[in-house]
Amino acid sequence: MDDLIRPHTYIALRLPSDTIKLVQAVPNTTISIGKYGSFQTNHILGRPFHLTFEILDKPEQNNHSLLRIVSTVEAYAHIKDDTGALRDPEDQEDTENGGDGVEYEVINPEGKVLMRTNREIIDDSRSQKLTMTDIEALKREETGSGKVLIAKILESHSALDQKTSFGLEKYTLRKAKKYLRRFTVLPVDVPLLLEWILNEKEPSKVMEIRGETLALIGSWSNVHYSGLQASPSADNLPDSYGGRWLVVDETGGLLVAAMADRMGILSPPHKDQSLTDQARTIENPNGSGEDSVATTTTTKAAQRPVEVQTTAMSADANTITLIHANTQPNLALLTYFDFDPTSPNLLHPLHAHLRSVSWLQLLSPTEDSSYAEPEVVPDEVIQAMKGGKKGNYYRKRRRWEKVKAVVDQTRAGGFDGLIVASVMDPTAMLHHTVPLLRGGAQVVIYSPNIEPLAELADYYSTARRTAFQTDPPSSSDFPNENFPLNPTLLLNPAIYTARCRNWQVLPGRTHPLMTGRGGAEGYVFTATRVLPAEGKVEARGSYKRRKLVDISSASQVSRTVSERVTNDEDSMAVPS
């Protein structure tokens, strides 16, 4: 991931209200953030991420607002003191602790309030003397970033002196979130994109999957970087390939993006480009003179790609093979990572490491038109063709070769894992995808509800596996009602769930936040692919044979010893 804001990339703006806005940094355009104002994109290009900017008023000689970088000390002034250390609640002027951190209302003999709470305060709108009309007028007259407006609102509050220190700080922070014209520029990554979808967009499009559940899927599937080339093997089998994962993604590309991030192929390579020269060219796009010409020439030379363009789906290791049900897979969310499936970037790693196969091509490739070989034309006829027809002929041949190679390698199997996030029946999917996995591969399936996963765990339970091995069904009778899947192919099935809850941690006010979103809980099914032993199983090794004892001789010895003990006791008895 890049450290600087590049042109034409997607960035995230965190507003004072804690909402996130995703925009594309297109040069020479204006970005609007609603009631907080607008600014020029050129003012943030080439700057590092995680900076907080403040929107200033438009100067008289310019029609665009200016930006000011907010220092860290100023940005966190509401939670830190002048020295940079966190404020201690015990050092508040008008608050004293009662031992447990809770504020009490105590009156001394003279009637002076030593400690108070907001128990007796009535929240009345008449305490605020400014009306909305006055506040809107002040906003139009405001020439700064909103600090003067917030100060006037606090001054006009008649019951401000009745608030506790905590209540005053919360009231001030609420007004700052509403009127302070600031924003923070953040890079777009998978957790932030998921947070934006869950809070600002439609969670149902990503199956209501949460960040902690997505991290759990990545951990159990063991997705990692496995190198850019296949490991050499004497047998030259698909099992020798490294880092090949099979995916069924119906979250719009979110699951593919999370896997690609772990595999190191989500972000495009860095370009050796001088952002200083680029920003100078953007600020003066119609400049004239020698300086302008030299700057443009330098920028164009810097924009030349330093890597060789790759062929689509050409990688044989560290790859993601996506199985989809439509003509084209739905990977709309990958657009936020500079990869458009309709017109892919030839320098992006996903262009070579992301493969797509339809269910029709996987199960019955002969019925797919793209898998059928085009008509072979003799060389004499090709030489007589015009340029357009000749180009179409070779283009069809290359497309067929690419599709055939991807489908054949997928059907050959040898994948390192299977990750599924789909509304389809998992039983039907595993019947065709589990045989494609190598031994020791992980199977991870996400579902918003637990019922389909509980049914799947029962199909691979120990009881069904024992019954299947004791009386295996015939090939003509499999699958059946009792054995819809082969229970000997997966071992140790389990179902997990995870949810992270946010807590408010304050002296005497520590409790979980009550504003968490609801929705589906989300469950993850995990299992390990195993290879059943074929033929007769024998145990080998060197061991000593135990000496066997004859039972009849052992009983005779026991009777003899018993009679001898009885005779000894009789001889030792004293006569009366």
Side-chain angles (χ1 to χ4, degrees), residues 270-340:
H270 299 289
K271 299 178 182 179
D272 297 334
Q273 183 177 359
S274 176
L275 287 177
T276 305
D277 296 340
Q278 184 179 9
R280 190 184 302 119
T281 306
I282 293 174
E283 292 177 0
N284 187 17
N286 299 323
S288 58
E290 298 179 357
D291 295 340
S292 177
V293 174
T295 302
T296 305
T297 305
T298 304
T299 306
K300 289 183 178 180
Q303 288 178 347
R304 294 173 183 171
V306 296
E307 294 191 3
V308 181
Q309 296 179 355
T310 57
T311 308
M313 307 182 189
S314 58
D316 55 3
N318 204 44
T319 60
I320 300 175
T321 302
L322 177 65
I323 306 178
H324 55 91
N326 302 320
T327 306
Q328 296 292 334
N330 180 15
L331 300 173
L333 295 180
L334 293 182
T335 308
Y336 296 103
F337 302 99
D338 197 19
F339 182 78
D340 188 2

Side-chain angles (χ1 to χ4, degrees), residues 338-415:
D338 197 19
F339 182 78
D340 188 2
T342 57
S343 57
N345 181 9
L346 301 183
L347 298 177
H348 202 287
L350 287 177
H351 181 63
H353 293 266
L354 177 61
R355 304 180 174 189
S356 61
V357 176
S358 65
W359 284 106
L360 180 61
Q361 294 173 344
L362 180 65
L363 303 182
S364 181
T366 56
E367 299 181 6
D368 185 69
S369 58
S370 59
Y371 189 81
E373 183 179 3
E375 181 184 359
V376 179
V377 180
D379 295 339
E380 297 79 7
V381 180
I382 296 177
Q383 296 299 330
M385 288 182 179
K386 295 183 179 180
K389 291 185 177 181
K390 186 185 299 184
N392 291 335
Y393 172 76
Y394 285 115
R395 191 178 301 110
K396 291 181 180 179
R397 295 289 302 182
R398 288 194 298 270
R399 186 186 301 114
W400 168 75
E401 292 174 356
K402 179 185 66 176
V403 172
K404 188 177 186 302
V406 172
V407 172
D408 292 344
Q409 291 183 8
T410 304
R411 290 171 58 87
F415 289 93

Side-chain angles (χ1 to χ4, degrees), residues 551-565:
I551 299 177
S552 58
S553 60
S555 58
Q556 182 67 27
V557 171
S558 177
R559 286 196 300 269
T560 304
V561 172
S562 175
E563 293 175 357
R564 184 177 301 175
V565 171

Side-chain angles (χ1 to χ4, degrees), residues 2-24:
D2 209 336
D3 297 331
L4 303 178
I5 304 174
R6 303 280 182 175
H8 301 286
T9 59
Y10 280 90
I11 59 176
L13 305 180
R14 188 178 292 277
L15 306 181
S17 58
D18 291 335
T19 59
I20 297 176
K21 183 179 179 65
L22 263 63
V23 296
Q24 189 177 15

Side-chain angles (χ1 to χ4, degrees), residues 467-543:
F468 185 88
Q469 293 175 344
T470 304
D471 186 14
S474 60
S475 58
S476 60
D477 192 29
F478 179 79
N480 52 37
E481 183 179 357
N482 295 328
F483 301 104
L485 296 170
N486 188 349
T488 62
L489 299 183
L490 293 184
L491 194 65
N492 192 23
I495 300 176
Y496 299 92
T497 184
R499 178 182 286 270
C500 296
R501 301 185 185 275
N502 295 326
W503 282 63
Q504 171 184 287
V505 182
L506 289 172
R509 305 182 185 90
T510 300
H511 59 79
L513 296 181
M514 304 303 175
T515 57
R517 62 175 302 273
E521 183 70 18
Y523 299 89
V524 178
F525 170 86
T526 63
T528 304
R529 172 77 161 99
V530 292
L531 302 178
E534 299 180 359
K536 184 179 180 181
V537 179
E538 297 180 357
R540 297 182 179 180
S542 58
Y543 60 94

Side-chain angles (χ1 to χ4, degrees), residues 182-196:
R182 289 180 180 177
F183 64 91
T184 304
V185 184
L186 303 174
V188 178
D189 52 10
V190 176
L192 189 140
L193 178 64
L194 181 56
E195 179 186 353
W196 176 66

